[in-house]
Amino acid sequence: LSYIAGKWSVTSSFYADDKWADPSAPMRATADTVLGGSFIRVQSPVSFPGGTFQFEMTLSYDRFHGIYRTMFLDDLNGYMDSYVGKRTDGVLSVSNAETGSSFPDGEGGVVIGRLDIEQSKEGFLITSFIAPEKNGPYSPYMRLEFVQAQ
């Protein structure tokens, strides 16, 4: 996942009415390796209808269990969300279904999240999906597109 490290221009778009909405204006993001390269930390703003929030994502590979671990923090909800998963065919797919960090939907249920992280021609993409239960069905929710900053 070393392709994630760098300085980026990021846009966000949300899925609504069976299509991806127009992307936000580009904003600056950074991704650095930390603690001797054991982790990659991404710091990025995310625009959504009604505002912008900051998030931080830290990724690592757990060599003891053969899985990837990802932690997300944001200043919108002050929430720390934990995801685990595997890399298949170049796509890292992680979910919070088994970590206990899914969040309430406000109606007595929960929202389970899945993220697919993959390299693109110009950088990388993070596509998020949501589901009402851990086995899905998952629906597209948000996409972040990171392009190398000029």
Side-chain angles (χ1 to χ4, degrees):
L1 299 177
S2 61
Y3 63 84
I4 292 175
K7 298 199 181 311
W8 303 99
S9 177
V10 61
T11 57
S12 56
S13 57
F14 288 81
Y15 198 80
D17 302 321
D18 295 325
K19 64 180 180 179
W20 290 105
D22 291 336
S24 66
M27 296 180 286
R28 296 288 181 181
T30 60
D32 300 305
T33 58
V34 294
L35 297 175
S38 297
F39 302 90
I40 298 173
R41 182 175 52 213
V42 178
Q43 295 176 309
S44 177
V46 175
S47 287
F48 66 99
T52 299
F53 68 92
Q54 298 293 319
F55 88 90
E56 184 174 299
M57 172 179 77
T58 302
L59 300 106
S60 71
Y61 180 72
D62 179 341
R63 63 187 173 97
F64 300 107
H65 298 98
I67 59 174
Y68 287 87
R69 297 185 185 275
T70 307
M71 296 296 294
F72 286 88
L73 296 87
D74 70 55
D75 68 353
L76 179 66
N77 297 306
Y79 194 68
M80 183 182 290
D81 201 358
S82 174
Y83 288 68
V84 297
K86 296 197 177 236
R87 191 172 178 185
T88 305
D89 297 325
V91 177
L92 174 58
S93 187
V94 293
S95 169
N96 65 2
E98 303 295 334
T99 65
S101 68
S102 58
F103 53 92
D105 67 2
E107 299 176 3
V110 296
V111 176
I112 304 292
R114 187 186 89 214
L115 303 168
D116 289 350
I117 303 168
E118 60 189 307
Q119 190 170 14
S120 66
K121 280 185 177 181
E122 300 170 339
F124 68 101
L125 300 169
I126 300 175
T127 307
S128 70
F129 302 85
I130 55 173
E133 42 192 68
K134 60 181 163 183
N135 294 326
Y138 284 90
S139 301
Y141 176 65
M142 180 180 66
R143 181 174 53 206
L144 300 174
E145 184 171 358
F146 293 81
V147 175
Q148 198 74 43
Q150 300 293 327

